């Protein structure tokens, strides 16, 4: 059973995105094949040089970069949303697979879960 | 910080671009109003799909959290203290 977790919520504005990250890491920890997909304003989680001390939160950059180590198979991002919010590719985290069609990607997973 | 006339309305917006209230806020603004982007709303700065009004400011800690410190124009980035001062200068405030 494969699971795709979709994060379409903006970073730091609510806990929804962070809870979805916890979910995917928990699945991976129990050897359940899981992947992450960031869409819409959710792709803003994938920008480099985040520093969340000023808003009393932890930056997720490290968690995302370590995701493969924790067994999270893939991190996908909606191409159109990345071009909209992060046209400069150097501002995006490494190791992200861009997806032209979210609809097609979803057909490749048994379960699709949205954050929040 | 730019000299902001205190006659207009101060709009404080924390919704991400695309949220219905983000669109409603921009639609409700008039020329002498000032818009302050906080929390998720600061994502409007790098958003190539959003056109922001001339008098738009953004809260520094929220920009930093999201890796956007370099995207604000000179004088567009404000601190919490400056935000408080702006609320004192404006007779009418709308928190979206």
């Amino acid at each position: 059973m494969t699971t795709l977790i979709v994060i379409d919520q903006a970073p730091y504005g609510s806990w929804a995105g962070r809870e979805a990250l916890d979910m995917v890491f928990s699945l991976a920890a129990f050897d359940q094949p899981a992947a992450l997909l960031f869409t819409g304003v959710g792709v803003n989680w994938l920008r480099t040089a985040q520093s969340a001390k000023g808003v009393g939160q932890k930056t997720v950059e490290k968690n995302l970069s370590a995701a493969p180590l924790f067994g999270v198979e893939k991190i996908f991002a909606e191409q159109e949303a990345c071009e909209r919010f992060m046209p400069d590719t150097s501002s995006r985290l490494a190791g992200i697979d861009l997806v032209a069609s979210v609809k097609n990607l979803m057909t490749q997973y048994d379960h699709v879960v949205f954050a929040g | 910080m730019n000299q902001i006339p205190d006659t207009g309305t101060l709009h404080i917006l924390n919704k991400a671009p695309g949220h219905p209230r983000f669109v409603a806020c921009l639609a409700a603004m008039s020329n002498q109003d000032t818009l302050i982007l906080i929390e998720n709303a600061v994502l409007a700065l790098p958003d190539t799909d959003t056109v922001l009004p001339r008098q738009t400011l953004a809260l520094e800690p929220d920009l930093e959290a999201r890796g956007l410190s370099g995207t604000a124009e000179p004088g567009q980035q404000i601190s919490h203290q400056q935000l408080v001062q702006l609320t004192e200068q404006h007779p009418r405030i709308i928190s979206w």
Side-chain angles (χ1 to χ4, degrees):
Chain A
M1 182 197 75
T2 56
T3 305
L4 178 68
I5 293 180
V6 186
I7 296 180
D8 59 357
Q9 313 245 356
Y12 307 113
S14 74
W15 295 106
R18 199 175 288 274
E19 284 160 5
L21 280 180
D22 294 343
M23 195 192 311
V24 77
F25 284 129
S26 310
L27 278 169
F30 286 96
D31 294 330
Q32 297 292 320
L36 271 170
L37 167 64
F38 293 86
T39 65
V41 288
V43 302
N44 286 286
W45 285 99
L46 303 175
R47 182 176 284 104
T48 54
Q50 296 175 30
S51 163
K53 282 195 303 298
V55 292
Q57 292 190 43
K58 280 202 198 117
T59 306
V60 297
E61 210 167 321
K62 289 194 189 79
N63 310 54
L64 285 173
S65 315
L69 296 177
F70 286 96
V72 177
E73 297 188 345
K74 284 272 190 185
I75 297 182
F76 297 105
E78 185 184 22
Q79 185 164 347
E80 193 184 333
C82 283
E83 284 158 5
R84 171 180 173 183
F85 286 102
M86 293 179 288
D88 172 6
T89 53
S90 68
S91 66
R92 304 175 193 167
L93 289 184
I96 308 294
D97 288 306
L98 294 188
V99 170
S101 162
V102 166
K103 185 178 163 186
N104 287 351
L105 182 69
M106 286 183 178
T107 59
Q108 297 165 32
Y109 288 84
D110 301 324
H111 280 201
V112 179
V113 184
F114 276 78
Chain B
M1 189 178 74
N2 307 12
Q3 203 33 47
I4 304 284
D6 57 4
T7 53
T9 299
L10 188 65
H11 300 259
I12 301 176
L13 178 59
N14 70 345
K15 299 295 180 283
H19 188 288
R21 218 172 294 163
F22 187 99
V23 180
C25 170
L26 293 194
M29 287 193 66
S30 350
N31 284 344
Q32 73 280 5
D33 292 356
T34 299
L35 173 62
I36 299 185
L37 304 173
I38 66 172
E39 298 170 19
N40 288 344
V42 301
L43 295 174
L45 288 187
D47 180 9
T48 51
D49 284 11
T50 297
V51 177
L52 291 167
R54 197 172 41 81
Q55 286 179 170
T56 297
L57 302 170
L59 197 58
E60 204 168 343
D62 288 318
L63 286 168
E64 262 170 34
R66 296 159 177 83
L68 294 170
S69 298
T71 56
E73 283 149 33
Q76 192 176 35
Q77 201 163 297
I78 61 169
S79 63
H80 277 294
Q81 200 179 355
Q82 287 169 306
L83 171 58
V84 170
Q85 284 164 3
L86 284 164
T87 60
E88 289 160 3
Q89 287 170 6
H90 286 76
R92 187 161 169 258
I93 299 169
I94 303 179
S95 297
W96 291 87

